[in-house]
Amino acid sequence: MLKDKYRNTFPEDFLWGGAIAANQAEGAWNEGGKGLSLNDIVPYTKDMDYDDIKIIRSRKEVEDGLTNEANIYPKRHGIDFYHTYKEDIALFAELGLKAFRTSIAWSRIFPKGDEAEANPEGLEFYHNLFDELLAHNIKPIITLSHYEMPLHLITEYGGWQNRQVVQFFEKYVEVVLKEYSNKVNDWIIFNQINSAFTDPFLALGILEDEIEHPQEAKYQAIHHQLLANAKAVKLGKDIHPKNKMGSMILDLTAYPSSTHPEVMFDNVRYEQEAMFFSDVMIKGEYPGYMIRFFAENDLDIHMEKEDLQILKENTIDFLAFSYYMTTLSHKGSSLTESSGWHISEENRNKHLETSEWGWQIDSKGLRIALNKLYDRYQIPLLIAENGLGARDELTKDKTINDDYRIDYLRKHIIEMKEAIKDGVDLIGYLPWSAIDIISASTSEIAKRYGFIYVDQDDYGKGTKNRYKKKSFHWYQRVIQTNGEKL
Ligand code: BG6
């Protein structure tokens, strides 16, 4: 009897896919009526120190981004996907993708974020994009907010800490869901909603030099995002019965750096801080450990009477998550104190290899994450990102021998299969990235993740031709054999 329930491989309808995000790929930052988005002003730093990646923290830096034309802003141009999407999607179809994740740039639909009417050209672009995917039988999985807030909502309203932004987001979501629900039914509301402390500018639209109480402002902004998330779930359900409304976290699995009980407990606390976001989105309420945290740290988070009810009634259908690595935790480790993309030396695990960017490679960690998340939530899981950022070298015969990437992906897929055998309801795998794009943290293209090479350098120079990497052919076979031939 029980034997019949045992799943020993990937389900037939498993979503083998790939992922990108609008702000890292589309370019065309000032075309089609698009407004300025927060990522359009993030500059590239030549010879950057990966242990000290700069993030925007002040109004002065925003002003510099608006006026300093000596800087390079790679996300303004991306890989020009806005103009090349047809050719790129043809390659995705050849690769065999069953699903493709990208995002809608909020600033294409509402250029400043607070307009009364949506921008028709922006709406048309995504119609064309989704039609192209559907024509190739590729299911669109669409993120509604992937570090793409209109900049105006930061400079004029203070970002997500301002409750008005919830209304602006609601309006944007209502417009796009009404517009596209006959083409798209799989939605990821927020990208990595728990990356708030890594980069408060990109994730929350917060300028740290303008807030008096950083922790309170960040948790206030997070409350607004959680509320906006619940409201988006409701809109999705009301607008189309087929809509599946998910949201996404960054998996932050940490291993205790010692077996001392104090460190073991602080690891539990650290992981709770990281999963508080999904606890609210899935269980519909603020967990006790967080209520205690707010009380003991004297954080006064403003909520309206109806907020808790809205959270309770509108929980997500599936949990999407990105998985790149694990880290170490120590006595007193706290997520809220972390800031920046850097993984410090003391958080590295000596048993693991590390990429040039300091990201550790740990395929077993993916199985741990899958088991942990499924045990905790018992709802379908989607791996919305996973991959290896590496320098690729174009050979004379125009390919890339990226065996290191194949090795990385293979080991992670093996662990996914093991997790499925453990009973985890895993519905899809969307490696980062379907094609090379601009890096979120460093704004380089040199940190490449794709199956398709884009001939372009960090300054945006190059032919922009697309070339299939060795991993392209490898992943094509993985998809064809439903994960059997690795
Ligand atoms: C996640 C983001 O943090 O990781 C993506 O959702 C990002 O936008 C990806 O690109 C990889 O990070 P990076 O900094 O190497 O591009």
Side-chain angles (χ1 to χ4, degrees):
M1 288 286 276
L2 277 181
K3 223 169 101 193
D4 301 339
K5 289 183 183 279
Y6 176 54
R7 268 182 307 187
N8 68 352
T9 191
F10 294 95
E12 276 307 308
D13 56 355
F14 191 73
L15 294 171
W16 295 100
I20 61 167
N23 76 85
Q24 293 165 257
E26 283 178 8
W29 65 295
N30 55 3
E31 288 180 54
K34 180 181 172 297
L36 262 187
S37 176
L38 43 72
N39 254 310
D40 293 333
I41 60 153
V42 175
Y44 164 71
T45 314
K46 189 172 179 298
D47 299 328
M48 92 188 58
D49 176 1
Y50 297 135
D51 289 342
D52 185 22
I53 296 170
K54 243 172 87 51
I55 64 176
I56 292 186
R57 298 186 190 275
S58 68
R59 187 164 290 259
K60 195 169 163 298
E61 285 161 310
V62 170
E63 275 156 18
D64 191 58
L66 289 170
T67 53
N68 190 343
E69 289 307 319
N71 280 337
I72 309 262
Y73 302 98
K75 290 173 191 156
R76 291 185 183 181
H77 306 286
I79 55 158
D80 201 28
F81 186 70
Y82 186 78
H83 295 113
T84 62
Y85 71 90
K86 287 195 178 162
E87 295 86 330
D88 292 336
I89 289 172
L91 284 167
F92 301 157
E94 186 184 336
L95 176 56
L97 297 192
K98 296 183 191 297
F100 173 65
R101 171 184 176 227
T102 186
S103 56
I104 295 177
W106 184 353
S107 60
R108 271 196 201 289
I109 309 299
F110 287 99
K112 291 167 105 178
D114 59 357
E115 294 89 341
E117 301 295 328
N119 167 32
E121 267 190 89
L123 291 173
E124 195 194 333
F125 170 69
Y126 292 106
H127 269 300
N128 295 339
L129 178 68
F130 302 150
D131 286 344
E132 196 67 21
L133 288 166
L134 295 173
H136 286 87
N137 226 354
I138 300 174
K139 182 197 270 281
I141 299 182
I142 302 304
T143 314
L144 292 166
S145 177
H146 193 133
Y147 304 154
E148 275 139 357
M149 174 180 241
L151 189 63
H152 177 76
L153 296 184
I154 299 177
T155 52
E156 294 305 309
Y157 295 87
W160 278 99
Q161 60 187 311
N162 185 337
R163 196 174 169 107
Q164 270 181 284
V165 170
V166 178
Q167 284 166 24
F168 297 138
F169 185 73
E170 227 184 316
K171 180 160 186 189
Y172 152 69
V173 172
E174 185 177 358
V175 165
V176 298
L177 289 181
K178 283 192 172 149
E179 195 74 27
Y180 305 122
S181 286
N182 59 344
K183 299 180 180 172
V184 179
N185 295 119
D186 299 78
W187 302 95
I188 295 176
I189 301 163
F190 281 98
N191 176 63
Q192 296 189 163
I193 190 166
N194 60 344
S195 65
F197 298 97
T198 307
D199 193 331
F201 176 70
L202 287 197
L204 303 172
I206 281 187
L207 295 174
E208 290 177 289
D209 70 331
E210 292 187 343
I211 47 176
E212 267 179 40
H213 193 324
Q215 237 184 15
E216 196 169 83
K218 287 175 197 168
Y219 274 111
Q220 185 66 63
I222 289 164
H223 174 68
H224 290 152
Q225 287 195 336
L226 291 169
L227 190 64
N229 184 78
K231 288 180 176 230
V233 171
K234 177 154 174 42
L235 282 167
K237 300 287 168 189
D238 290 350
I239 289 169
H240 202 289
K242 277 197 178 159
N243 276 338
K244 281 184 266 156
M245 305 305 294
S247 218
M248 178 177 163
I249 58 167
L250 160 66
D251 180 70
L252 287 165
T253 295
Y255 302 145
S257 55
S258 128
T259 49
H260 191 291
E262 294 290 344
V263 177
M264 296 295 289
F265 181 73
D266 283 0
N267 187 66
V268 171
R269 170 65 51 76
Y270 176 83
E271 291 203 339
Q272 281 176 332
E273 281 179 66
M275 288 196 285
F276 141 66
F277 302 77
S278 36
D279 280 359
V280 176
M281 294 191 298
I282 297 168
K283 297 177 179 174
E285 56 193 22
Y286 272 78
Y289 62 82
M290 221 52 212
I291 296 169
R292 175 180 182 170
F293 179 86
F294 291 158
E296 292 182 353
N297 289 284
D298 213 15
L299 302 183
D300 185 17
I301 310 301
H302 178 77
M303 298 185 191
E304 300 283 319
K305 250 198 342 271
E306 67 276 15
D307 288 7
L308 295 182
Q309 194 63 24
I310 294 172
L311 293 177
K312 186 84 209 156
E313 287 170 0
N314 302 288
T315 55
I316 53 176
D317 297 321
F318 65 94
L319 179 66
F321 70 99
S322 58
Y323 175 82
Y324 288 95
M325 65 188 131
T326 51
T327 53
L328 292 185
S329 70
H330 306 270
K331 173 131 188 57
S333 280
S334 163
L335 183 72
T336 54
E337 274 149 31
S338 69
S339 176
W341 297 88
H342 171 58
I343 315 295
S344 69
E345 197 57 48
E346 64 154 16
N347 288 344
R348 294 194 190 139
N349 183 337
K350 68 173 179 346
H351 301 292
L352 300 174
E353 280 178 40
T354 302
S355 83
E356 190 181 326
W357 287 266
W359 293 26
Q360 294 208 290
I361 301 171
D362 181 12
S363 55
K364 188 61 76 188
L366 177 58
R367 178 153 176 219
I368 293 171
L370 281 162
N371 272 277
K372 187 177 59 176
L373 292 172
Y374 194 63
D375 284 351
R376 193 173 181 115
Y377 299 128
Q378 303 279 304
I379 63 170
L381 299 178
L382 172 70
I383 300 175
E385 290 180 31
N386 170 242
L388 177 70
R391 286 185 202 279
D392 290 333
E393 211 179 303
L394 192 62
T395 63
K396 273 202 211 100
D397 49 352
K398 304 290 184 212
T399 187
I400 283 86
N401 292 318
D402 55 345
D403 292 300
Y404 37 89
R405 182 168 293 110
I406 294 172
D407 187 57
Y408 177 102
L409 296 170
R410 176 189 291 123
K411 286 181 176 148
H412 284 77
I413 294 174
I414 289 171
E415 297 299 338
M416 281 159 43
K417 196 165 167 181
E418 291 303 312
I420 288 173
K421 291 185 193 172
D422 294 334
V424 173
D425 184 6
L426 177 63
I427 56 174
Y429 182 54
L430 313 176
W432 194 263
S433 46
I435 183 167
D436 290 345
I437 51 175
I438 311 298
S439 154
S441 57
T442 66
S443 292
E444 301 163 293
I445 198 170
K447 191 180 185 191
R448 294 174 186 268
Y449 288 85
F451 297 108
I452 299 163
Y453 183 86
V454 178
D455 182 25
Q456 168 182 326
D457 67 15
D458 288 336
Y459 299 90
K461 302 237 157 49
T463 63
K464 306 216 166 33
N465 288 343
R466 277 51 172 159
Y467 299 108
K468 295 171 219 166
K469 302 184 190 177
K470 189 169 175 185
S471 58
F472 181 100
H473 305 286
W474 171 82
Y475 191 46
Q476 192 177 46
R477 201 158 108 103
V478 172
I479 299 175
Q480 276 163 3
T481 61
N482 200 25
E484 286 307 310
K485 294 269 186 283
L486 293 172

